[in-house]
Amino acid sequence: MPNRKGARNAYYFFAREKLPELQRRGLPVARVPDAIPLCSQDWALLTEDEKEKYAEMARKWRAENSTQASLKQPPSQISPVPAPLPMQRQRCTSLPDAISLSWKNDQAVLGNIFYFLNIYSHGELPSPCEQRFLPCEIGCVKYSLQDGITADFHRFVDPGEVPRGFRFHCQAASDATHKIPISGFELSNAGHPVVLRELYSFVRPDHGRWPPVYCKSDDWYRVNWCLKWMAKEAGTENQLELFSVENLVVELYQRKLRKEPSKTWVRNLLDVFVWDYSSNTRCKWHEENDILFCALASCKKTAYCISNTLASVYGVSLTTAHLPLQDYDSSNNINPKVVVLDAGRFQKLRAQNPGCNRYFSSPVEKQGAASSAGEHPSGVMSSCRTSTRGRGITRLLESVSRLSKSSSN
């Protein structure tokens, strides 16, 4: 009996093209099937036109494969009926975008409820292991442009038994990120079924229609896999439909400004460190242990970024529910995290002279000020004047020196 090759679709050829890149990154991929689970995030970011290239590859492969199969058959077995033409491939994406269907006007956009979700794991297990992730922490926030963050959900999850031979791998991944112990952690006292039911109750408290849930495209594969795994452990099906928050931001911009920002700009917008040390952002355990990686904090920072960027576009007045308290009190001027060589001396100078912050202005602050003034990625950013003229570390040190002399006098 001849060895029949499996069907190859557009995604197969995309994964085959990405295989050398994954190998250069040191991932354990030797064949295309090993690369398939690792390419879903990049595939989701492609447009329909970009995916058409791989769909054409799949159609050519099917046509050639069917021709070769017919030539190998004896003449008596060749069917007189010609092979049917390949049907047009139905459009579908890994991250569907149906949010605009319920938006009738700007007021509906402002009042629409968004849920931002993230699930942390003890690393990602290699492909030979059936269980790819061990969920250990879940964070979710309820958000709207009008009211900001109105509720949040956070739970530590008992990851269960670690697959044999991967304990060191999981512990190393945990130590490099969220630092949640893989065993003996007193706060991880709930299993997958219990936490999943609590998450469902938070997202759909009135047992009505399931709302869409959003996460970053870089986290989509992990979060979606963990939701399905937890539902399987609970003996049910996953009820949450996961969307890309990047697509949400693009849709919000495009609806109001009639211009679509680039995906690269949106990804850079959401990948910021501005609120890493802001109060009431991380969970209590990560806050007390001064650990930046927190599932709840990642969801809140996504809401902060959207508030800081889109509030001026939709004419929303920012409150403490939109941004952390210290940023709201400083007239919505976002102060990014800066590196100061002598932190103790800087804190002493700032206590003596509250106005010293102006000497540590950065391009990120200028960009935030331009965004709050109505600048958008589709336009041209105008130049900004700062209190410190010139550039370079020399100017900065001169400003600090003058400040030090004035404070000593």
Side-chain angles (χ1 to χ4, degrees):
M1 183 175 180
N3 182 21
R4 297 182 59 188
K5 296 182 180 180
R8 299 181 180 180
N9 55 13
Y11 183 69
Y12 175 91
F13 288 94
F14 174 75
R16 188 178 71 174
E17 185 179 275
K18 298 284 290 185
L19 183 62
E21 178 184 342
L22 297 175
Q23 291 174 343
R24 287 194 300 268
R25 291 162 54 186
L27 296 175
V29 290
R31 301 176 299 115
V32 175
D34 299 335
I36 286 179
L38 305 176
C39 300
S40 60
Q41 300 174 5
D42 295 331
W43 174 260
L45 296 177
L46 297 182
T47 63
E48 291 298 330
D49 294 336
E50 293 171 335
K51 291 181 180 180
E52 185 61 28
K53 165 188 171 183
Y54 304 100
E56 181 63 25
M57 292 181 182
R59 287 193 289 267
K60 288 183 179 179
W61 181 88
R62 285 194 293 265
E64 294 175 358
N65 193 58
S66 60
T67 303
Q68 293 176 1
S70 61
L71 293 176
K72 292 180 180 180
Q73 293 180 354
S76 59
Q77 297 182 3
I78 298 179
S79 173
V81 181
L85 295 175
M87 298 179 62
Q88 185 178 2
R89 185 174 179 267
Q90 184 180 1
R91 288 189 173 186
C92 62
T93 59
S94 299
L95 299 176
D97 187 7
I99 54 178
S100 60
L101 297 179
S102 59
W103 292 348
K104 298 180 180 179
N105 48 45
D106 288 352
Q107 193 62 34
V109 177
L110 296 177
N112 196 90
I113 300 298
F114 305 108
Y115 289 91
F116 302 133
L117 174 67
N118 201 354
I119 301 178
Y120 278 179
S121 167
H122 291 297
E124 179 177 358
L125 302 179
S127 55
C129 186
E130 179 184 1
Q131 186 174 359
R132 301 304 302 275
F133 300 97
L134 275 74
C136 59
E137 184 188 17
I138 294 182
C140 185
V141 298
K142 181 180 180 182
Y143 173 83
S144 69
L145 277 172
Q146 184 68 47
D147 301 323
I149 298 176
T150 56
D152 60 68
F153 174 88
H154 177 264
R155 295 290 185 277
F156 290 106
V157 188
D158 183 5
E161 184 178 356
V162 180
R164 181 175 298 180
F166 294 100
R167 186 177 185 84
F168 176 80
H169 174 89
C170 295
Q171 187 62 63
S174 175
D175 293 340
T177 53
H178 48 69
K179 302 185 185 304
I180 299 175
I182 60 176
S183 61
F185 187 42
E186 64 277 5
L187 298 180
S188 299
N189 52 11
H192 297 155
V194 175
V195 175
L196 187 64
R197 285 196 298 268
E198 293 177 350
L199 178 63
Y200 284 172
S201 299
F202 174 77
V203 173
R204 195 184 64 155
D206 55 353
H207 301 284
R209 181 181 177 183
W210 289 100
V213 181
Y214 300 89
C215 73
K216 292 183 179 180
S217 57
D218 290 341
D219 303 326
W220 187 88
Y221 174 71
R222 182 186 69 250
V223 175
N224 191 57
W225 192 97
C226 290
L227 287 174
K228 292 182 178 180
W229 176 267
M230 295 173 66
K232 179 182 177 181
E233 291 290 301
T236 182
E237 294 184 0
N238 176 35
Q239 302 294 336
L240 299 180
E241 189 173 6
L242 202 59
F243 295 85
S244 166
V245 71
E246 287 88 347
N247 289 343
L248 172 64
V249 175
V250 169
E251 179 71 17
L252 290 171
Y253 259 108
Q254 189 175 17
R255 178 178 180 83
K256 188 67 175 178
L257 302 179
R258 307 301 178 186
K259 294 181 181 180
E260 180 177 344
S262 67
K263 287 288 184 68
T264 302
W265 183 89
V266 175
R267 289 168 69 94
N268 293 336
L269 167 72
L270 298 174
D271 189 18
V272 297
F273 305 95
V274 176
W275 298 283
D276 280 355
Y277 295 94
S278 298
S279 61
N280 195 30
T281 299
R282 293 172 285 181
C283 70
K284 183 179 179 181
W285 186 81
H286 282 110
E287 181 76 24
E288 292 176 349
N289 291 276
D290 196 20
I291 301 171
L292 296 182
F293 288 87
C294 174
L296 179 61
S298 66
C299 300
K300 286 188 175 182
K301 288 191 291 185
T302 298
Y304 296 160
C305 290
I306 294 178
S307 297
N308 185 51
T309 308
L310 291 170
S312 60
V313 176
Y314 281 87
V316 177
S317 299
L318 294 178
T319 65
T320 54
H322 293 89
L323 291 176
L325 181 61
Q326 62 270 28
D327 296 327
Y328 172 73
D329 291 340
S330 59
S331 301
N332 302 330
N333 289 327
I334 307 304
N335 297 322
K337 181 180 66 176
V338 295
V339 178
V340 181
L341 298 180
D342 191 352
R345 180 170 175 269
F346 170 74
Q347 296 292 341
K348 182 179 179 180
L349 292 175
R350 188 173 63 175
Q352 295 175 354
N353 188 355
C356 69
N357 284 335
R358 69 177 184 270
Y359 294 102
F360 295 89
S361 60
S362 67
V364 181
E365 287 180 313
K366 300 174 186 177
Q367 182 178 358
S371 299
S372 62
E375 297 289 347
H376 307 294
S378 57
V380 179
M381 183 177 297
S382 58
S383 60
C384 300
R385 295 183 179 180
T386 61
S387 58
T388 304
R389 295 184 178 181
R391 57 184 178 179
I393 189 64
T394 304
R395 295 288 185 180
L396 177 62
L397 293 177
E398 290 175 356
S399 301
V400 176
S401 177
R402 289 195 300 268
L403 177 63
S404 178
K405 292 179 180 179
S406 62
S407 61
S408 61
N409 293 333

